Amino acid sequence: MRGRRAPTAVVLAMVICGLVVAAALTGAAVLRVRTNPAAAAPLTTSSASTNPRAGECKREPCKRLGQVPVAGTDVQLIGDSGAASGRLLIGSPGSPQIIEITVTDLGVKLTESSLQCAAGAVAACIVRGVGDKGTTGQVIAGRSDKWSPLGRAFFSAANYLSLANVVGDSSPEVITVQRDCRTGEDCQRQVYVQVFGLGGEELGCTKTYSRMDQLPGYPEIVPTEIQLRGCP
């Protein structure tokens, strides 16, 4: 599975040096899950700013939903009073980089468990929210004070999205859990893990398990690289 992953240097150049074209970002879609192809939808491009006033939420009162240190950088998730929009404040309180959270445009709500970050050669944070059909999240990646929102959203029909290192390198991957309905059995029970690189490339899936608590590493689900195979 490792041969399918883009080199870390390429991903680092994309997210830190700003070589990702805006047109590619705005045209990217929610990563399709084979069991739920209707989940695809565009993710609008997030804006970034270093103006501290931009850290104010759209609808007051503002609420800090999460604060995580990652690779020596402080990351805060600020939500509005209805949890229907949010912003990441990355870096020093006096002059943070501000990134708009656009995954809420897909109909999900932010909560105090929406933010998760992971360190690595390319550090990353995922902001996720629950909607009617599952959990959708967006990834923001970078290093120090140079962070970029990626132009794809990630979806989990089984409401599990996280970041963890699976492939044998020093950058995190996106862990999603999907439902397997191919057998015609109860889709609420049949689940498998689907793993993506930060750039959105599919790295593989585990076998299907009959219960969520059987997934590798549950409750913090992290498969090993040798457990990945072709996705159903």
Side-chain angles (χ1 to χ4, degrees):
M1 294 296 174
R2 186 178 305 175
R4 303 173 62 184
R5 176 180 174 82
T8 297
V10 175
V11 180
L12 186 61
M14 290 172 61
V15 299
I16 296 180
C17 299
L19 299 181
V20 181
V21 240
L25 292 178
T26 55
V30 172
L31 294 175
R32 292 178 182 265
V33 178
R34 289 173 175 79
T35 55
N36 189 13
L43 180 63
T44 56
T45 305
S46 300
S47 61
S49 169
T50 55
N51 179 3
R53 294 194 63 185
E56 298 173 1
C57 59
K58 294 180 181 179
R59 290 198 301 263
E60 295 185 350
C62 305
K63 182 178 182 181
R64 187 170 67 186
L65 297 175
Q67 183 171 2
V68 180
V70 54
T73 299
D74 189 57
V75 179
Q76 296 184 63
L77 174 61
I78 307 297
D80 64 19
S81 60
S85 66
R87 289 169 174 156
L88 279 188
L89 279 62
I90 303 175
S92 63
S95 57
Q97 182 178 0
I98 311 299
I99 295 179
E100 295 283 350
I101 300 304
T102 57
V103 72
T104 53
D105 295 342
L106 301 177
V108 302
K109 297 290 186 181
L110 301 177
T111 69
E112 293 182 352
S113 60
S114 286
L115 176 65
Q116 186 218 346
C117 298
V122 178
C125 294
I126 189 168
V127 178
R128 61 231 163 158
V130 178
D132 293 338
K133 297 182 178 180
T135 296
T136 306
Q138 72 180 97
V139 172
I140 298 91
R143 178 185 292 174
S144 185
D145 60 346
K146 298 179 181 179
W147 289 68
S148 299
L150 304 186
R152 297 190 177 189
F154 296 86
F155 176 76
S156 167
N159 292 314
Y160 188 93
L161 276 176
S162 70
L163 296 170
N165 185 251
V166 176
V167 178
D169 62 8
S170 58
S171 296
E173 284 76 47
V174 180
I175 312 297
T176 77
V177 177
Q178 312 299 348
R179 303 196 187 281
D180 190 348
C181 301
R182 294 172 300 158
T183 63
E185 299 180 15
D186 185 1
C187 290
Q188 299 301 312
R189 296 178 62 85
Q190 302 286 321
V191 290
Y192 62 93
V193 182
Q194 186 179 27
V195 180
F196 295 94
L198 294 179
E201 68 275 21
E202 183 183 81
L203 301 180
C205 295
T206 66
K207 68 178 184 179
T208 297
Y209 295 82
S210 60
R211 299 195 316 270
M212 191 87 166
D213 61 8
Q214 293 177 337
L215 294 174
Y218 180 88
E220 296 183 6
I221 299 168
V222 184
T224 63
E225 186 174 0
I226 61 173
Q227 289 176 309
L228 300 182
R229 56 185 72 183
C231 293

